[in-house]
């Protein structure tokens, strides 16, 4: 899946000369947590978060605190330079960027102009959709040898039972790198006959591990 499929295109932005007060008003009005800062060419030159603004703004508990801070320009608190992504990047790449740089938002740029924004909430929602967990389905986990052809063997068995597959994930088995785990979400609320058939054919089903099914 590409970034352009999940990004928000209506991006609220400010320019460096705008004030912290104006930024605070936008956060409250649109219920957002990040505002990209752009120049007159709509190129991203910085970004501010709700935390940046909270740290800079006077406390609501201190009425006598210097309110002049709110009139400072956002350029004084923005983060720059900014990590950006392209609309044709893959969402897996964004997940890696969020993790490695410990950020929660990336502006999307094309031809050096802002065209969208993606937040960690957008990414998490998309990943949930990709897992198929929002559909009526069942999850099974199968440990198999880490060799070519194992996934087609498993999917062939599922196909024999006329069951649709919502999603497939594969990851290494931590205790033995010669093995891997295939995680499938299948569109059936009764996976027992399939689990029984997998075990009869010699596959080790880790989840659900139902006592009494064929070994």
């Amino acid at each position: 899946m590409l970034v352009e499929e999940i990004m928000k295109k209506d991006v609220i932005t400010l320019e460096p000369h705008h004030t912290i007060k104006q930024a605070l008003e936008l956060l409250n009005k649109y219920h957002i947590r990040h505002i990209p800062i752009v120049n007159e060419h709509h190129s991203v030159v910085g970004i501010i978060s709700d935390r940046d603004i909270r740290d800079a703004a006077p406390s609501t508990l201190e009425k006598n605190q210097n309110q002049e801070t709110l009139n400072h320009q956002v350029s004084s608190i923005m983060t720059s330079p900014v990590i950006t992504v392209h609309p044709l990047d893959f969402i897996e790449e964004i997940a890696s960027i969020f993790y490695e740089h410990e950020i929660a938002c990336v502006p999307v740029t094309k031809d050096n102009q802002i065209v969208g924004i993606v937040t960690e909430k957008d990414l998490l929602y998309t990943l949930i959709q990709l897992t198929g967990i929002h559909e009526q389905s069942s999850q099974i986990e199968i440990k198999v040898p880490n060799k070519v052809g194992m996934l087609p063997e498993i999917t062939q068995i599922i196909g024999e039972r006329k069951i649709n597959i919502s999603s497939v994930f594969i990851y290494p088995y931590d205790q033995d790198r010669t093995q891997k785990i295939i995680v499938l979400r299948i569109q059936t609320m009764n996976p027992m006959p399939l689990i029984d058939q997998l075990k009869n054919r010699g596959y080790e089903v880790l989840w659900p591990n139902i006592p009494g099914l064929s070994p």
Side-chain angles (χ1 to χ4, degrees):
M1 182 174 285
L2 301 177
V3 169
E4 65 180 4
E5 298 178 64
I6 70 169
M7 70 182 188
K8 290 184 175 67
K9 297 180 180 180
D10 296 326
V11 187
I12 305 299
T13 64
L14 288 173
E15 294 186 6
H17 62 83
H18 286 122
T19 65
I20 294 175
K21 180 180 180 181
Q22 290 174 303
L24 181 59
E25 290 171 347
L26 287 178
L27 290 181
N28 292 333
K29 179 179 180 180
Y30 294 101
H31 305 289
I32 54 179
R33 295 178 55 195
H34 302 85
I35 302 177
I37 311 302
V38 301
N39 60 20
E40 65 273 17
H41 304 296
H42 299 288
S43 297
V44 178
V45 295
I47 193 167
I48 57 175
S49 68
D50 56 347
R51 178 177 294 182
D52 296 327
I53 295 175
R54 286 199 307 268
D55 291 345
S59 171
T60 56
L61 300 178
E62 299 290 340
K63 295 183 179 179
N64 297 326
Q65 194 171 357
N66 185 8
Q67 297 293 310
E68 182 60 27
T69 304
L70 289 174
N71 293 324
H72 290 176
Q73 295 182 350
V74 293
S75 58
S76 65
I77 64 170
M78 71 183 188
T79 298
S80 181
V82 183
I83 297 172
T84 63
V85 297
H86 189 274
L88 299 182
D89 287 340
F90 292 104
I91 63 170
E92 295 91 337
E93 297 170 353
I94 297 184
S96 178
I97 290 173
F98 280 0
Y99 177 77
E100 292 177 5
H101 296 276
E102 298 182 351
I103 57 177
C105 169
V106 287
V108 185
T109 61
K110 182 179 181 182
D111 298 328
N112 206 33
Q113 292 187 332
I114 188 166
V115 295
I117 192 169
V118 177
T119 68
E120 59 182 354
K121 184 177 180 180
D122 298 326
L123 181 62
L124 181 59
Y125 175 79
T126 301
L127 293 177
I128 290 173
Q129 297 297 306
L130 290 177
T131 63
I133 198 171
H134 60 291
E135 302 174 346
Q136 287 191 339
S137 57
S138 300
Q139 179 170 306
I140 58 175
E141 300 183 10
I142 309 159
K143 184 170 71 173
V144 298
N146 187 10
K147 64 180 184 180
V148 175
M150 298 309 303
L151 181 58
E153 289 182 14
I154 298 295
T155 56
Q156 181 178 350
I157 295 173
I158 297 174
E160 291 172 1
R161 303 199 68 85
K162 310 295 184 184
I163 299 174
N164 287 332
I165 299 174
S166 297
S167 65
V168 179
F169 290 90
I170 302 175
Y171 62 91
Y173 183 53
D174 286 340
Q175 300 178 27
D176 184 356
R177 289 294 170 156
T178 66
Q179 306 286 313
K180 60 184 177 182
I181 308 299
I182 298 178
V183 182
L184 303 109
R185 187 161 287 277
I186 54 177
Q187 293 181 2
T188 177
M189 298 306 294
N190 180 21
M192 308 309 180
L194 173 60
I195 292 172
D196 197 24
Q197 185 174 352
L198 287 167
K199 288 188 173 184
N200 283 334
R201 296 202 186 181
Y203 294 102
E204 183 176 353
V205 178
L206 300 181
W207 178 264
N209 189 3
I210 312 289
L213 292 183
S214 302

